[in-house]
Amino acid sequence: MAKRRAVIAGASGFIGERLLHELSAHGYELSIIGRGGPISWADQAAVDESVDGAQLLVNLAGKNVGCRYSDAARSEILRSRVATTWILHRAVASAQHPPKLWLNASTATIYRHAMDRPNTESTGEIGEGFSVDVARNWEREFFAGELSATRRVALRMAIVLGDGPASQKLLGLARWGVGGPQIDGWWPVHRRYRGIGPDPTGPEKSGFHPTRGQQRFSWIHIDDVMGAIWHLIEHPEIRGPVNLSAPYPVTNAELMSSLRRVAGRRFGLPAYRWMLEPAMFVLRVEPEMLLKSRWVLPETLERSGYEFTWPELHPALADVAK
């Protein structure tokens, strides 16, 4: 009997590396598309050949958003997601034997800054500004056109806890003694968060939300990212956007309290916007990661019977930090 084959695009990050290991352990033959090969994005014929006959296609490609949003970085964040998805869309559309399932990365940041109620797949409201526009254009390219033989699922991932940059930078804040809540406030305006793409949204200049450390933090453990992917493979009735987030999001103050306990720090200074901006500049990331209220619930996963390995934040952080 022939082996099942999976095509993984953008497998160089910690999520992709974990997924390669999992699929290999489950007997999949793997084809890998990436900037460094073995199949290059520049070789459309090779991409087409790899996709044709595969049972599963997973696209995780895209420039890491753990950076400062310079004009060059903004353009590359958008281009790297939309262009690679377009290349794969072309391959699926031309395949004689297209994959039965195509999972494409997306982000839970597509939803609005929410303090009043959570966002689910059925009731969530799309936000505005740079990060949202990246996600909108990414998903627009993914869901474009008719691919009747291929089930498509957009993985709207919350911040993933594991051996990746987001977790390490969060733990670093607690270990350095600035593990108190992050409090938004006035800061000189800039244009890094302005909209992007053919129909940009949101204001041209930055603002702030007086959340006082009560902004929501939605997250998911890497184990549950893998578990959710297997769940989606095994449930052919699921299609469209799916929130990959734990069922119990927390406030920013609760997040930082858990981080301090895991890091063995009794005290952490609150970080007001005027303190956070210089610190995040040194870390080469954007304060948006901590200041935007991401309140997302995994409605589709829970309704279809998925049981989370790590539903609560503190045990998940303790596992990541050990």
Side-chain angles (χ1 to χ4, degrees):
M1 182 177 178
K3 269 192 172 186
R4 294 172 298 175
R5 189 163 59 83
V7 178
I8 313 298
S12 59
F14 87 105
I15 297 174
E17 289 178 354
R18 174 70 178 271
L19 182 59
L20 290 177
H21 174 78
E22 294 251 346
L23 290 171
S24 180
H26 280 77
Y28 277 85
E29 180 182 288
L30 301 174
S31 299
I32 302 171
I33 305 171
R35 286 175 299 173
I39 301 169
S40 169
W41 289 112
D43 190 344
Q44 182 73 55
V47 173
D48 293 351
E49 184 178 357
S50 69
V51 168
D52 200 348
Q55 285 72 48
L56 173 66
L57 170 60
V58 184
N59 180 26
L60 302 171
K63 175 180 169 55
N64 193 322
V65 296
C67 64
R68 299 293 288 184
Y69 293 167
S70 65
D71 286 351
R74 281 165 43 90
S75 296
E76 182 58 17
I77 286 169
L78 178 62
R79 188 211 64 80
S80 63
R81 285 159 173 75
V82 174
T84 53
T85 302
W86 180 86
I87 290 168
L88 293 174
H89 198 291
R90 179 177 171 182
V92 173
S94 64
Q96 290 188 354
H97 303 285
K100 293 181 179 179
L101 174 60
W102 179 4
L103 304 175
N104 209 75
S106 183
T107 173
T109 303
I110 196 170
Y111 297 113
R112 68 183 176 94
H113 174 97
M115 295 288 291
D116 55 340
R117 62 180 178 81
N119 288 289
T120 68
E121 295 92 337
S122 63
T123 65
E125 297 177 41
I126 304 302
E128 61 180 18
F130 171 67
S131 296
V132 171
D133 286 352
V134 169
R136 286 193 309 109
N137 285 281
W138 199 2
E139 289 193 8
R140 179 186 296 161
E141 186 62 51
F142 177 51
F143 288 118
E146 180 67 25
L147 300 175
S148 59
T150 300
R151 177 167 60 102
R152 286 176 280 182
V153 178
L155 307 175
R156 289 182 175 173
M157 282 185 271
I159 292 175
V160 179
L161 303 181
D163 189 22
S167 300
Q168 299 312 309
K169 286 172 181 176
L170 287 170
L171 285 165
L173 290 173
R175 289 169 178 149
W176 297 337
V178 287
Q182 280 81 41
I183 300 172
D184 205 353
W186 182 86
W187 184 256
V189 296
H190 58 77
R191 301 176 62 248
R192 298 193 306 275
Y193 301 161
R194 69 191 186 278
I196 196 171
D199 53 346
T201 64
E204 184 73 11
K205 297 179 180 179
S206 61
F208 69 92
H209 300 279
T211 51
R212 301 182 181 276
Q214 295 303 299
Q215 64 269 30
R216 297 285 176 153
F217 178 80
S218 289
W219 58 277
I220 186 169
H221 192 289
I222 183 64
D223 289 350
D224 282 312
V225 173
M226 296 301 114
I229 287 174
W230 287 114
H231 184 80
L232 293 168
I233 291 171
E234 294 163 1
H235 285 74
E237 74 279 8
I238 301 175
R239 61 183 64 236
V242 173
N243 293 343
L244 266 60
S245 60
Y248 301 115
V250 297
T251 65
N252 175 266
E254 291 168 333
L255 163 69
M256 300 313 295
S257 176
S258 287
L259 284 167
R260 291 196 304 273
R261 282 185 285 157
V262 167
R265 299 290 187 269
R266 290 188 176 184
F267 177 76
L269 289 170
Y272 293 87
R273 182 70 175 264
W274 62 268
M275 302 163 62
L276 190 61
E277 285 278 359
M280 299 301 260
F281 178 81
V282 172
L283 288 171
R284 307 309 300 162
V285 292
E286 289 288 344
E288 179 186 51
M289 181 178 78
L290 293 169
L291 296 177
K292 179 177 179 177
S293 188
R294 294 175 171 86
W295 194 353
V296 182
L297 293 180
E299 177 185 61
T300 297
L301 288 177
E302 290 197 304
R303 285 187 176 178
S304 59
Y306 180 71
E307 295 185 8
F308 282 81
T309 302
W310 303 99
E312 303 275 358
L313 178 65
H314 188 70
L317 284 174
D319 179 73
V320 168
K322 69 185 181 183

